[in-house]
Amino acid sequence: MKKALAILFVNLVVPLMILASDFTLNKGYVEQKGFYVSLPFETKNDLLILEITINGSPKKFLLDTGAPTSISKSLQKQFRFSSLGKVTANDINGLNESFNTVSIDELNIGALNVKDVPALVIPDDNAIFRHLGVDGIIGSNFLRNMIVRISIRENRIVFTDNIQSLNLQHAYKEHMFTDKDIQSSPVITVRLGSGITEELLFDTGFSGFYDLAKQKFSMFDKHQDVNVVGVENGKAMYGMIGVEPATEKYKVLIPQYSVGGFVFHNVIAYTSSDDNSKLGAKFLRTADVTLDYVNNQFYLQPYSLAGNSFDEFCCMDAYYCKND
């Protein structure tokens, strides 16, 4: 991460949530019908980076399901997209900032053309953009008319509008909400321990496995199978707008953690100051994941550990296990 800083960062967290209720980022459209585009990607800190093109110019963008589509100020200077005004956004650490928004005329991912997409304009000195070496973010408002399959094992991301083109017959699945905010962020329900359910964000811009919102920590009070195994100080998240103040964080052991009916054992999570818990990019080490924005479904196809080392597939502080 940012080794030059004295504070210890638990994870890199990119998401932004728009605070204005009278503004929507859910605009734009895919030019093609019946599309199927498969592309390779690179990873950095478990985050997914794609090559896209704008007006024929190749750029590197982060795929972040927990954030709106965004571009650097340099890109805006280069292409001079039409302005949509300003919005205020909130990052993982509760820090607020006002951003200019623009409408991207056309953005291409492989042969896929997406037009008139609203995007935030991020200052060029943004630490996360610099650290990842990206020019922008592909967010959920861009993905909202697509079905997106992510495979770390194959190093491919598929964008399609036809669920039948994907082999999902034996996948675990969960309903996926996309109407919780104005940018179509994907929200699913997970089951923790015995009798606890939680709605959380599936967030590929969060480099960890599972992050527990501190305000939801009280839901464990009456459940003895979920244990606090430690309290740590000096840990903080690096968000899009700034650094979280170093705060006391609880370290929680969850014996069973179920996603779409598939069970992970002995998952350890740290509490965060965010209002929402998150399932992040390290989760992709364990399974192929499909986010069906069209039909509001989340699919999980777990990897087999047979013949592979634990370290290759496991998530930080989480034991991978078979379904019970």
Side-chain angles (χ1 to χ4, degrees):
M1 294 291 189
K2 304 295 288 185
K3 295 183 179 178
L5 298 175
I7 195 167
L8 173 62
F9 296 111
V10 179
N11 283 301
L12 190 68
V13 193
V14 181
L16 287 169
M17 292 291 180
I18 306 301
L19 300 181
S21 59
D22 59 346
F23 184 87
T24 182
L25 294 169
N26 289 327
K27 297 179 180 179
Y29 63 96
V30 182
E31 189 174 42
Q32 295 94 333
K33 302 295 182 183
F35 59 87
Y36 183 98
V37 173
S38 177
L39 295 174
F41 58 86
E42 60 180 283
T43 59
K44 192 167 187 179
N45 298 118
D46 286 290
L47 303 181
L48 312 176
I49 298 172
L50 289 170
E51 184 171 289
I52 61 94
T53 58
I54 299 178
N55 292 347
S57 178
K59 305 292 180 183
K60 288 188 176 182
F61 271 45
L62 172 72
L63 184 77
D64 183 358
T65 59
T69 300
S70 305
I71 61 171
S72 66
K73 189 174 181 179
S74 292
L75 251 61
Q76 173 58 13
K77 287 181 179 179
Q78 180 180 354
F79 296 112
R80 299 184 181 277
F81 298 119
S82 299
S83 175
L84 297 175
K86 284 196 170 187
V87 296
T88 300
N90 188 33
D91 79 352
I92 180 74
N93 300 319
L95 301 174
N96 299 337
E97 189 169 320
S98 180
F99 295 92
N100 290 317
T101 60
V102 298
S103 180
I104 301 176
D105 301 333
E106 183 173 323
L107 191 153
N108 310 113
I109 298 183
L112 193 62
N113 306 325
V114 184
K115 295 191 172 185
D116 300 333
V117 180
L120 275 60
V121 179
I122 307 297
D124 288 334
D125 61 356
N126 181 270
I128 290 181
F129 271 35
R130 293 202 318 267
H131 175 72
L132 295 176
V134 297
D135 300 296
I137 293 170
I138 294 294
S140 278
N141 63 314
F142 179 97
L143 302 171
R144 66 190 175 86
N145 295 316
M146 305 181 194
I147 302 165
V148 183
R149 179 180 181 269
I150 305 169
S151 176
I152 294 293
R153 179 175 55 189
E154 298 173 5
N155 193 47
R156 309 290 294 187
I157 298 180
V158 172
F159 303 90
T160 184
D161 60 353
N162 180 11
I163 194 66
Q164 300 304 320
S165 66
L166 304 174
N167 182 19
L168 299 173
Q169 289 86 350
H170 302 294
Y172 299 87
K173 71 176 181 178
E174 186 72 44
H175 181 78
M176 187 175 82
F177 301 93
T178 57
D179 58 355
K180 301 289 186 178
D181 57 27
I182 63 169
Q183 60 197 46
S184 297
S185 300
V187 174
I188 62 172
T189 300
V190 298
R191 290 152 189 86
L192 301 84
S194 174
I196 305 175
T197 60
E198 182 186 18
E199 285 188 0
L200 50 72
L201 176 67
F202 185 76
D203 182 5
T204 59
F206 165 52
S207 64
F209 177 76
Y210 170 58
D211 179 62
L212 173 63
K214 196 168 186 178
Q215 69 173 22
K216 295 186 177 181
F217 181 64
S218 60
M219 67 183 177
F220 295 122
D221 288 348
K222 297 180 181 180
H223 296 268
Q224 300 302 315
D225 56 341
V226 176
N227 303 304
V228 176
V229 295
V231 179
E232 299 191 19
N233 294 288
K235 291 181 180 291
M237 297 283 192
Y238 204 129
M240 275 291 285
I241 297 174
V243 181
E244 175 190 28
T247 57
E248 184 177 75
K249 293 184 179 293
Y250 294 102
K251 189 177 182 181
V252 180
L253 173 65
I254 305 168
Q256 291 192 342
Y257 188 104
S258 175
V259 182
F262 187 82
V263 180
F264 297 85
H265 288 291
N266 298 330
V267 172
I268 289 179
Y270 289 93
T271 56
S272 76
S273 56
D274 190 17
D275 292 336
N276 302 295
S277 299
K278 297 172 295 299
L279 200 60
K282 275 193 175 68
F283 183 84
L284 297 170
R285 294 186 186 184
T286 69
D288 289 347
V289 168
T290 299
L291 297 104
D292 184 349
Y293 288 88
V294 177
N295 302 296
N296 294 107
Q297 294 290 330
F298 178 92
Y299 294 90
L300 171 71
Q301 294 172 290
Y303 298 149
S304 171
L305 287 183
N308 297 290
S309 68
F310 170 78
D311 288 339
E312 183 178 354
F313 285 94
C314 79
C315 298
M316 179 181 68
D317 293 331
Y319 291 94
Y320 181 93
C321 76
K322 65 179 181 296
N323 183 49
D324 285 353

